[in-house]
Amino acid sequence: MLVLWAQMAYLSAIKKYAKILTGFLLAALTAVGACLLLLWLGVPPLTGAFLGSTLGYFLLMVLYLQELVNFYPAGRMSLVVLFPYLDKYKSLIAIGFSTALGLFAHNFVFWFSDYKITVIQHMIYCMKYDVACFYASLTIVPYLVIFVVALEVNFYKAYRKYFDTVLYGGTLTDIQNENREMGRTLFRELAHVFELQFFVEVLCVTFLGNFLQASGFDREMLIIFRYLCMGYCFYVLVKSLIILFLYFDERRGALLLSGLFVALSAGLSVLTLPFGIEAYGLGFLLGGAVTAVVGLLLLKRYLGRLEYQVFCRQPLFYEEPQRIFRQLAAYVETKDARVFANHKKKEKKQPPEDGGKGEDLDP
C-alpha cells in the first residue's frame, strides 16, 4: 500500500486517471475472487482475507509499475536523488505530516479518556470512539472519486489555460479574465464536491443508524458517528483546499491551513472531554468547519492577488539551497561513483573465460 500511494501520485501527475480506475477494478475483482476461493478451500477467514487482499494490492502495484516504466525515462538509479528536494521543499514535509496528524490527532486525545481500553502495556484504544471513527471515515469514499474525476480535472483545464496565457504572450486583460474564469471554475467545483459529500453524510447519518445498531452500536456510539460524519465532510473540504494551494505552489498557505487543522482538531477535542462521551467527536467537527472557512477566505484572497504572486514574488536570482541534505546526497553519490569505478577496474583486470585465447567459439 505504501508503494501504491507513491505510484498513484505519479500517475495522477501524468493524468492517467483511466489507468488508475482500471487498475482498481481489476485488483478489487482479483482480491474478492481470491478471498472467496481461499474460503472455499477451507482457509481460515482472517487469513484468507489478508492473503486475498495482498494479492489484489500486488496486482495493482504491478499494473501501475508497468504504466510508470512506459512513461518515465530510464536512468541511473540513485537512492539519494530525493535528498536535495528535502532542502528545497522542506515545508512539504511539514504540510504532509500536519495533514495526516490532523486526521488522527482527535483519536489520540480520546485514547487518554476514561473510556480507553488497555489491550496490553502501551497498547490502548477507545472502542466507542475508534469503531465509530472507522465507519465514519468510510463515508469519504465518494469524495476520493469525485475529487479526481471532477474537481481536479475541470480545475486543471482552467489552471492550464491561465498559465498558458501568462507564458505565451497574453495581455494583462486576457490574464485577468482567465484568472476570474479559473476562480469561478475552482469555487464551483469545490461547491459541487462539498454538496455531494454533504448529501452522502446526511444519508449516512439518517439511514445508516439501523444497520450500525444491528452490528453492535449503542446510543453513544451513534452520536459520535453522526458528529464524525459531518466532521469528515468538512475535512474533505480542508484537504481539497490544501491540494489547491499546492497547485499554486503556495506552501505557506497550505502549511498554515494544515497546522490550523491540527491545532483545532486536537485542541477542541481536549475541550470536549469534560462534557462526557456524548460530546466526543464534536471537537473534530468544529475544527474542520473553522479550518474550512479560514481556508476558503485565504484561497479567495490569494486568487485576488494572483498576478502579484506570479509576477512580483518570484526571485530575480535563484540559487539552489546548499544545506545538509544536498551535501549528504553529494557525499553519497561521490562514494557510489568511486565504488562503481573500482568495480569496473576489477572487471578489466580479470582474464577472459577462454583462457586468454580470445577465440570466438560461437559459430
Side-chain angles (χ1 to χ4, degrees):
M1 288 181 69
L2 291 173
V3 174
L4 284 169
W5 274 110
Q7 287 179 329
M8 282 190 289
Y10 284 101
L11 287 170
S12 296
I14 61 178
K15 308 302 175 188
K16 291 278 188 176
Y17 301 121
K19 295 295 183 181
I20 293 177
L21 179 60
T22 304
F24 266 118
L25 290 175
L26 290 175
L29 292 173
T30 301
V32 173
C35 291
L36 294 175
L37 178 62
L38 291 170
L39 289 175
W40 181 73
L41 292 174
V43 176
L46 188 59
T47 304
F50 274 119
L51 290 176
S53 300
T54 303
L55 180 61
Y57 285 128
F58 177 75
L59 174 64
L60 190 58
M61 184 181 71
V62 172
L63 292 174
Y64 287 175
L65 183 61
Q66 182 183 13
E67 291 298 321
L68 293 174
V69 169
N70 290 337
F71 183 84
Y72 288 100
R76 186 163 175 262
M77 186 182 74
S78 173
L79 297 177
V80 294
V81 68
L82 178 66
F83 278 25
Y85 297 96
L86 296 178
D87 285 329
K88 189 175 180 181
Y89 300 109
K90 55 182 177 296
S91 58
L92 290 179
I93 302 173
I95 292 168
F97 179 77
S98 299
T99 304
L101 183 61
L103 183 59
F104 297 106
H106 57 115
N107 293 91
F108 285 90
V109 171
F110 297 110
W111 289 343
F112 296 94
S113 70
D114 295 335
Y115 292 90
K116 70 178 181 182
I117 297 173
T118 302
V119 182
I120 58 175
Q121 188 179 10
H122 307 305
M123 185 179 290
I124 60 175
Y125 75 109
C126 180
M127 189 273 293
K128 286 180 178 288
Y129 192 84
D130 289 346
V131 175
C133 185
F134 168 73
Y135 280 102
S137 67
L138 296 180
T139 63
I140 67 172
V141 171
Y143 156 78
L144 299 175
V145 178
I146 295 299
F147 180 84
V148 172
V149 302
L151 190 152
E152 198 168 21
V153 171
N154 294 329
F155 165 68
Y156 179 76
K157 293 176 183 177
Y159 170 88
R160 180 66 182 269
K161 193 174 180 182
Y162 171 81
F163 281 100
D164 282 348
T165 305
V166 172
L167 293 172
Y168 301 116
T171 65
L172 180 59
T173 302
D174 294 333
I175 293 172
Q176 290 173 337
N177 289 336
E178 293 300 334
N179 183 0
R180 286 190 289 269
E181 181 60 31
M182 181 176 62
R184 283 194 292 268
T185 302
L186 172 57
F187 286 107
R188 183 182 67 243
E189 294 300 327
L190 272 176
H192 173 67
V193 168
F194 184 76
E195 286 170 2
L196 178 64
Q197 189 61 42
F198 184 78
F199 177 71
V200 170
E201 302 296 358
V202 169
L203 288 179
C204 293
V205 168
T206 306
F207 298 108
L208 203 56
N210 294 332
F211 167 77
L212 294 176
Q213 282 183 322
S215 64
F217 268 50
D218 57 21
R219 175 177 170 275
E220 294 167 339
M221 293 172 71
L222 281 175
I223 294 174
I224 295 172
F225 170 76
R226 288 165 180 154
Y227 283 145
L228 290 176
C229 279
M230 304 314 297
Y232 279 110
C233 185
F234 287 105
Y235 163 75
V236 300
L237 185 56
V238 171
K239 186 174 177 64
S240 299
L241 291 168
I242 291 173
I243 294 173
L244 292 171
F245 271 122
L246 294 178
Y247 257 99
F248 297 104
D249 198 30
E250 175 55 13
R251 282 167 275 161
R252 290 187 303 177
L255 182 59
L256 174 63
L257 208 58
S258 59
L260 179 64
F261 182 54
V262 173
L264 291 177
S265 175
L268 293 175
S269 295
V270 171
L271 292 178
T272 60
L273 284 174
F275 296 97
I277 193 169
E278 291 187 357
Y280 288 7
L282 189 58
F284 181 69
L285 167 59
L286 294 176
V290 173
T291 307
V293 172
V294 173
L296 288 170
L297 294 175
L298 288 176
L299 183 60
K300 185 177 180 180
R301 180 176 179 271
Y302 182 84
L303 290 177
R305 303 172 72 244
L306 186 57
E307 281 71 40
Y308 168 76
Q309 305 290 343
V310 170
F311 292 107
C312 300
R313 284 198 57 205
Q314 308 303 321
L316 291 176
F317 304 99
Y318 177 74
E319 277 188 32
E320 292 286 342
Q322 301 291 330
R323 298 191 181 97
I324 182 170
F325 285 109
R326 181 174 287 276
Q327 294 169 2
L328 181 60
Y331 174 78
V332 172
E333 287 179 347
T334 302
K335 288 289 186 182
D336 183 51
R338 288 178 182 173
V339 171
F340 183 75
N342 292 334
H343 181 68
K344 285 294 183 183
K345 287 181 182 178
K346 289 180 181 179
E347 284 185 346
K348 289 181 179 179
K349 291 180 180 179
Q350 289 179 353
E353 294 182 0
D354 60 359
K357 297 179 181 179
E359 295 178 356
D360 188 3
L361 302 178
D362 190 18

